[in-house]
Amino acid sequence: MELSNRFISIKNSPILFSKPFKLNTLKLLFSLPNSTESPSSQLSLSRSLQFETLKALEWSSLCERLSPFTSTSMSHSVTRNASIPIGKSLQESRELLNQTAAALAVMQIEPLDFSGIDDISGIVNSAVSGNLLTVSELCAVRRTLRAARTLFERLKDGGDCSERYIHLLEILEGCNFLMELEQKIGFCIDCNLSILLDRASEELEIIRSERKKNMENLDSLLKGISAQIFQAGGVDRPLITKRRSRLCVGVRASHKYLIPDGVILDVSSSGVTYFMEPADAVELNNFEVMLSNSERAEEVAILSLLTSEIAQSVGDVKYLLDRILELDLAFARAAYAQQINGVHPILTSEDCEGEPSIGVNCALSIDIEGIQHPLLLGSSQRSLSEVLRSNSENSAELDGGDGVIAAERLSKSASAFPVPINIKVESGTRVVVISGPNTGGKTASMKTLGIACIMSKAGLFLPAKHTPRIPWFDLVLADIGDHQSLEQNLSTFSGHISRICKIMEVASKASLVLIDEICSGTDPSEGVALSSSILQYFRDHVNLAVVTTHYADLSLLKDKDSRFLNAAMEFSLETLQPTYQILWGSTGDSNALSIAKSLGFDSNMIESAQKWVEKLMPEKQHQRKGLLFRSLMEEKNRLEAQATKATFLHSDVMKLYNEIRHEAEDLDGRVIALMKKETQQVQQEVKATKSQIEIVVRDFENLLRKASPDQFNSLIRKSESAIASIVEAQCPSDSLLVNQVDVSSHTPQFGEQVHVKGLGDKVATVVEAPGNDDTILVQYGKIRVRVKKSDIRPIQGNKRSAATNLVPGLKRQIHSEFNQNEEVSYGPKVQTSKNTVDLRGMRVEEAALHLDMALSAREPRSVIFVVHGMGTGALKQRALEILGKHPRVANYEPESAMNFGCTVAYIN
């Protein structure tokens, strides 16, 4: 480039720091707009400067922080190489941020599973180059295609959360998942065993079938010959092996005559054993070799066909891999945002243009509150975790209280580092001049702004408070650090000016320029003059330029042009330590003498320097300046306190407003949810109660079978009492009001329907007349309980139902078909579908087997109806024989005039 050549020739002159050099450099700076550079060289220079800026801002270190959160080898490689995508336009950057927000929402529900996805780009390139892919490589392609399709289907099945998934769905929406290719590979290859399947082609199936038959014949032949040799003493044990790709048998050299006309394929190292191919096996071995070669050729043909299809789909596969990489990086950014408690920034192109947000201050083009440098924050978090781990390991040596206090103190100190800063740049500002003492945080603050802008462009959330607003910058160009180069004969100042010249060449109206210690390292008067000219150039040609300086005269530019803004790093005069806070609109002192004194510098030198300062300053001016500074600080603290109080009040009001609005909007839904929850609880209680009652009934039935008739009443009362206790324990104490007058004056009668308080005021039926103990036996459904008379109230207009319709389940087993002369009681003699065995239409043996199974499966003390029909009588005769001999049949009744073709049996 012409300008660079002129500049280098000047720098190579022997007088590097002469005044003519500075004047010539100043002329060169203002000749930049007239420079004619080709678009390619401008693009190359722009990329070079952008790369150096990312290096100065330690972008690669930040990208490495994403590596632990990646799920694929592709994403891990991209983050380790600092190659994550950065939006090339405002729309791209906003889309990246939306993807991060969507991934964060999905992670709170259920993270996506990226397992099974491999970087198959190398495999695809190999296929395109004409190389034959192996079975394992084809399986890797199939596994990746299937995993990618599963990811897409998982996102599509988001259901009610589809709004959260939309930005992630758009990533994979246009992809071709090559299902046909995946199915072909799965049809031809068993990826679990990594083998080609017989069904891959008809020819392969035939070849393998013929080879299997031939191998069976060959193996059978050789086994027989080997067994004969073993019996003849020609070998210690039967030996079949392969030599020169042909199956053969082993035989001692002294017994090779046992294999007449055999071919010697190999001899053992000792010469004792010959490996011979019998004459009868030659043709079979030849056929095996031919089939083996044919099989290999067919397998190669199948692999070649699949390789060709992958090569033809190279565009779709690589596009799919790029989209999977984009999706994985979105989840990595979301996980990193969780770690740093990041917030979603708003990117704008013009003042107050961007996404709508409540409470946006349109007077500020950059509005970032409480941001921490992400690299310092990560280091702080690691240090805290290490210290806490060490503290927990040594907690046994400390008192319990002291250990807890130490951990809390460490946690609080770590949360305060790095110090959060506020970056507030007014709309219309083009140049910000930051002044202040060394070690005060100027460079760190400027780096924080630069890294925040690049993070927003790359879709990363910021470790800040509330909702940061940042303009979208096409380029972030930084001159930070020492660019001295002995190889290029550049001094510190020369390297600095060379870098600024390049920045001025490529910067545009949408660029952000960051310059640390502008024009330092030279004569102060000439440095101020050159700095003023550079800043005036940036004022007219970039979106925003932020510079740090020790030149106090640069702060006077604000008085002449409102597009300049002064800022200063706060310094505590009491502690002589920086607070690392930016005072926007203020100018700061270097406080060099105070800092030198605090660091132990010689006091005599400090006093001598102070006298020189007093000579250079008007009388009492420094005192007035100090008083003014203190008054401004007091006013600043007062305003900050008021602003903080107003912020808290506003936050409380908005929180209350949102709670009321949310409750009002979701009131119907909460009512439905509450009713549903209560219904579920009631159902669970009913289910538990029913289970307990069933246990009591089952125990009662078991005892009833073993008890004598005179024990039945006591068993019934005991079971009724247990059921009543269970029901009473599950019922509310006083859910309904009962008219005591009606209860005391009413005596329920047998068969009457009444309300029972213990059953939740359900309607039950009286099944036993009231006794002298003020208790009444009632039945609700299949449940019979004995309740107090005071817990019963009548039903108005009650109509008594017939007692025959309310036969209790427990007494039915006792009194139905009960014979006082019998010691054993059976179930009711009522024919139903469950206790009937119909043998009609079956053959005799089939009917016998069916009847035997039915008798074995019947429950004890039950009745079974065997329907055999009339017919020829063979089926009836066989059924009666089985009933007479079966061990479970206690007795049976032959058919009667009222029940032809059916025999009733009683089961033990």
Side-chain angles (χ1 to χ4, degrees):
M1 294 178 287
E2 180 182 355
L3 177 62
S4 298
N5 293 333
R6 291 171 57 195
F7 186 66
I8 293 173
S9 65
I10 292 173
K11 290 184 292 182
N12 290 335
S13 62
I15 310 176
L16 290 178
F17 300 103
S18 62
K19 293 186 178 180
F21 166 74
K22 311 290 176 41
L23 297 177
N24 289 336
T25 303
L26 189 58
K27 292 177 182 179
L28 284 173
L29 293 173
F30 287 99
S31 67
L32 283 173
N34 298 326
S35 63
T36 56
E37 296 288 347
S38 63
S40 60
S41 61
Q42 285 280 354
L43 181 59
S44 176
L45 179 59
S46 175
R47 289 177 177 174
S48 175
L49 288 174
Q50 188 69 19
F51 174 78
E52 292 177 4
T53 297
L54 294 178
K55 183 178 180 181
L57 296 177
E58 300 177 80
W59 175 246
S60 59
S61 298
L62 181 63
C63 291
E64 288 183 5
R65 302 292 172 88
L66 296 178
S67 296
F69 304 109
T70 57
S71 301
T72 64
S73 59
M74 300 177 293
S75 303
H76 185 77
S77 176
V78 165
T79 53
R80 297 291 294 182
N81 296 329
S83 301
I84 67 174
I86 299 176
K88 298 179 180 179
S89 65
L90 175 61
Q91 290 71 24
E92 286 186 14
S93 296
R94 285 179 176 174
E95 182 60 26
L96 289 173
L97 288 170
N98 290 334
Q99 291 173 6
T100 305
L104 193 59
V106 172
M107 288 174 59
Q108 294 175 353
I109 300 175
E110 181 181 359
L112 289 186
D113 183 11
F114 286 84
S115 60
I117 295 179
D118 300 324
D119 184 4
I120 58 174
S121 57
I123 298 176
V124 176
N125 292 334
S126 179
V128 173
S129 301
N131 298 324
L132 186 67
L133 298 183
T134 63
V135 170
S136 60
E137 289 175 334
L138 290 170
C139 288
V141 173
R142 176 177 179 266
R143 183 169 58 250
T144 299
L145 293 177
R146 182 172 56 185
R149 180 166 51 84
T150 303
L151 274 178
F152 183 63
E153 292 173 353
R154 168 72 179 83
L155 290 173
K156 286 180 64 177
D157 295 340
D160 297 336
C161 302
S162 58
E163 289 297 328
R164 298 179 177 179
Y165 290 76
I166 186 65
H167 294 286
L168 302 178
L169 274 171
E170 290 175 352
I171 299 176
L172 298 177
E173 207 156 29
C175 294
N176 182 2
F177 295 97
L178 302 171
M179 290 184 59
E180 185 177 352
L181 176 59
E182 176 196 340
Q183 292 172 355
K184 282 185 179 180
I185 298 175
F187 180 81
C188 298
I189 300 175
D190 185 344
C191 288
N192 293 326
L193 301 177
S194 296
I195 58 173
L196 274 172
L197 298 173
D198 296 349
R199 66 188 183 189
S201 72
E202 184 177 354
E203 184 70 18
L204 181 63
E205 186 175 9
I206 294 173
I207 292 173
R208 287 183 174 178
S209 177
E210 291 294 330
R211 188 180 179 189
K212 181 179 179 181
K213 294 178 182 178
N214 184 69
M215 283 297 296
E216 290 176 352
N217 295 332
L218 181 59
D219 185 66
S220 176
L221 173 65
L222 295 178
K223 282 183 178 178
I225 295 174
S226 181
Q228 293 176 3
I229 296 172
F230 173 70
Q231 292 175 358
V235 69
D236 293 337
R237 57 182 179 85
L239 175 62
I240 299 175
T241 183
K242 180 176 285 189
R243 290 293 186 274
R244 295 163 58 181
S245 301
R246 303 177 73 85
L247 286 176
C248 57
V249 296
V251 62
R252 288 195 182 98
S254 59
H255 291 73
K256 66 177 181 179
Y257 64 86
L258 294 175
I259 309 176
D261 301 327
V263 179
I264 300 175
L265 298 179
D266 197 6
V267 181
S268 67
S269 59
S270 63
V272 175
T273 305
Y274 281 15
F275 299 99
M276 301 182 64
E277 180 184 11
D280 296 337
V282 172
E283 185 177 353
L284 293 175
N285 264 325
N286 291 339
F287 195 39
E288 166 63 19
V289 172
M290 183 190 71
L291 290 176
S292 177
N293 293 334
S294 300
E295 180 183 7
R296 177 56 187 165
E298 184 63 22
E299 289 177 349
V300 170
I302 295 170
L303 294 177
S304 178
L305 178 63
L306 295 175
T307 300
S308 176
E309 293 206 15
I310 291 176
Q312 293 174 4
S313 306
V314 58
D316 292 332
V317 173
K318 289 191 174 181
Y319 181 78
L320 177 61
L321 291 178
D322 290 341
R323 301 287 73 79
I324 293 295
L325 171 62
E326 185 177 350
L327 185 66
D328 190 16
L329 288 177
F331 278 91
R333 295 194 301 267
Y336 180 66
Q338 280 186 329
Q339 186 190 54
I340 64 174
N341 295 322
V343 294
H344 192 306
I346 296 178
L347 292 177
T348 61
S349 57
E350 299 291 342
D351 292 342
C352 280
E353 180 187 347
E355 300 178 8
S357 178
I358 299 175
V360 167
N361 185 2
C362 293
L364 299 175
S365 62
I366 299 180
D367 186 3
I368 308 177
E369 185 173 345
I371 186 171
Q372 297 173 289
H373 197 289
L375 296 180
L376 296 177
L377 181 62
S379 302
S380 173
Q381 291 175 340
R382 286 198 302 270
S383 300
L384 175 61
S385 62
E386 293 174 359
V387 172
L388 290 178
R389 190 184 306 111
S390 175
N391 184 70
S392 63
E393 292 174 356
N394 299 329
S395 59
E397 301 177 4
L398 300 173
D399 293 334
D402 294 342
V404 173
I405 294 174
E408 292 179 352
R409 188 182 301 113
L410 285 170
S411 179
K412 291 180 180 179
S413 62
S415 63
F417 179 81
V419 178
I421 63 172
N422 301 328
I423 303 177
K424 310 279 187 178
V425 179
E426 299 176 355
S427 298
T429 299
R430 293 291 175 258
V431 178
V432 177
V433 179
I434 304 179
S435 58
N438 293 322
T439 71
K442 298 191 300 298
T443 304
S445 299
M446 187 169 57
K447 282 187 173 182
T448 302
L449 173 60
I451 200 72
C453 295
I454 297 177
M455 288 175 66
S456 301
K457 290 180 65 177
L460 289 165
F461 285 10
L462 304 182
K465 299 178 182 177
H466 309 308
T467 305
R469 290 180 67 251
I470 304 175
W472 186 85
F473 300 105
D474 62 347
L475 291 174
V476 178
L477 305 170
D479 175 45
I480 302 174
D482 188 359
H483 302 285
Q484 184 184 35
S485 173
L486 297 177
E487 181 181 357
Q488 300 179 11
N489 196 15
L490 293 177
S491 67
T492 301
F493 177 76
S494 300
H496 180 64
I497 294 299
S498 175
R499 183 66 175 274
I500 292 177
C501 285
K502 295 177 182 179
I503 290 175
M504 295 171 73
E505 286 186 38
V506 301
S508 69
K509 284 284 189 180
S511 300
L512 170 65
V513 176
L514 306 172
I515 301 178
D516 188 27
E517 300 293 350
I518 185 171
C519 294
S520 61
T522 186
D523 182 79
S525 59
E526 292 184 351
V528 170
L530 188 58
S531 300
S532 301
S533 301
I534 294 172
L535 295 184
Q536 289 173 8
Y537 175 86
F538 285 143
R539 174 196 61 191
D540 300 325
H541 292 86
V542 299
N543 186 312
L544 180 65
V546 179
V547 301
T548 66
T549 183
H550 286 284
Y551 297 143
D553 291 339
L554 292 183
S555 62
L556 300 178
L557 295 173
K558 167 67 176 173
D559 300 333
K560 301 177 181 179
D561 194 332
S562 60
R563 288 176 291 180
F564 286 83
L565 176 65
N566 294 328
M569 301 308 298
E570 187 178 23
F571 187 83
S572 174
L573 295 177
E574 290 78 10
T575 62
L576 296 179
Q577 294 292 328
T579 63
Y580 305 106
Q581 295 296 326
I582 305 177
L583 303 176
W584 297 96
S586 302
T587 57
D589 296 327
S590 294
N591 297 295
L593 299 181
S594 301
I595 295 175
K597 185 177 181 179
S598 66
L599 295 175
F601 209 76
D602 185 75
S603 58
N604 295 327
M605 292 186 179
I606 296 293
E607 292 177 3
S608 177
Q610 185 67 36
K611 292 178 181 179
W612 276 101
V613 171
E614 292 175 356
K615 290 179 180 179
L616 295 174
M617 300 179 67
E619 186 179 0
K620 304 294 186 180
Q621 182 176 353
H622 61 286
Q623 296 181 2
R624 292 196 301 268
K625 188 173 182 179
L627 293 173
L628 178 61
F629 177 78
R630 281 193 292 272
S631 63
L632 289 175
M633 289 299 299
E634 292 175 359
E635 182 67 14
K636 169 184 171 292
N637 295 334
R638 186 181 65 81
L639 292 175
E640 284 183 350
Q642 292 179 355
T644 302
K645 183 177 180 181
T647 300
F648 287 148
L649 290 175
H650 178 266
S651 176
D652 293 341
V653 171
M654 291 303 299
K655 182 178 180 181
L656 181 60
Y657 166 74
N658 291 329
E659 289 178 357
I660 295 174
R661 183 179 64 178
H662 178 71
E663 291 179 0
E665 291 176 351
D666 197 37
L667 186 59
D668 294 338
R670 290 168 59 193
V671 170
I672 295 174
L674 183 60
M675 293 178 63
K676 182 178 180 181
K677 182 177 180 181
E678 292 180 352
T679 303
Q680 291 177 349
Q681 291 178 350
V682 172
Q683 291 175 349
Q684 292 175 356
E685 292 177 358
V686 170
K687 184 177 180 181
T689 303
K690 185 177 178 181
S691 175
Q692 295 177 3
I693 293 176
E694 288 177 352
I695 293 173
V696 174
V697 172
R698 186 164 60 250
D699 295 341
F700 169 77
E701 291 176 347
N702 295 334
L703 294 173
L704 186 66
R705 295 187 187 98
K706 301 177 183 179
S708 59
D710 57 352
Q711 295 176 332
F712 289 161
N713 289 332
S714 62
L715 289 176
I716 292 173
R717 289 185 177 274
K718 182 178 179 181
S719 300
E720 290 172 349
S721 176
I723 293 174
S725 300
I726 294 172
V727 173
E728 185 176 359
Q730 297 295 331
C731 294
S733 59
D734 192 13
S735 58
L736 296 173
L737 294 177
V738 181
N739 192 329
Q740 299 296 334
V741 178
D742 293 341
V743 171
S744 60
S745 61
H746 177 72
T747 300
Q749 301 299 320
F750 177 78
E752 181 180 352
Q753 292 184 336
V754 294
H755 286 292
V756 181
K757 177 180 178 183
L759 295 177
D761 206 40
K762 301 294 184 181
V763 176
T765 304
V766 179
V767 295
E768 184 179 285
N772 297 328
D773 56 353
D774 290 333
T775 60
I776 300 173
L777 183 66
V778 299
Q779 177 169 335
Y780 173 66
K782 294 183 179 181
I783 303 173
R784 306 183 77 209
V785 295
R786 185 172 297 277
V787 298
K788 295 180 180 179
K789 180 180 177 182
S790 58
D791 292 338
I792 293 177
R793 63 184 181 88
I795 301 176
Q796 294 183 357
N798 178 41
K799 297 181 179 180
R800 299 181 181 177
S801 60
T804 56
N805 294 331
L806 300 171
V807 180
L810 296 177
K811 287 192 175 183
R812 181 174 58 192
Q813 293 185 355
I814 301 171
H815 298 291
S816 296
E817 299 297 324
F818 179 73
N819 190 342
Q820 297 294 336
N821 296 326
E822 295 179 358
E823 295 182 359
V824 180
S825 175
Y826 294 90
K829 187 179 175 183
V830 179
Q831 184 176 357
T832 65
S833 60
K834 294 183 178 180
N835 62 3
T836 300
V837 181
D838 193 353
L839 306 178
R840 291 175 296 181
M842 300 182 183
R843 296 180 181 180
V844 174
E845 296 302 322
E846 179 184 4
L849 178 62
H850 191 65
L851 177 58
D852 184 78
M853 293 174 59
L855 293 173
S856 300
R858 288 298 296 171
E859 58 197 23
R861 307 291 187 266
S862 62
V863 179
I864 186 171
F865 293 81
V866 182
V867 180
H868 45 68
M870 303 297 292
T872 61
L875 194 63
K876 172 183 175 182
Q877 182 179 0
R878 181 62 174 153
L880 294 178
E881 290 177 1
I882 293 174
L883 293 175
K885 298 179 180 179
H886 202 282
R888 294 208 60 198
V889 178
N891 189 17
Y892 67 90
E893 297 177 358
E895 58 184 349
S896 62
M898 299 298 294
N899 194 19
F900 283 103
C902 179
T903 300
V904 182
Y906 298 88
I907 307 301
N908 285 329

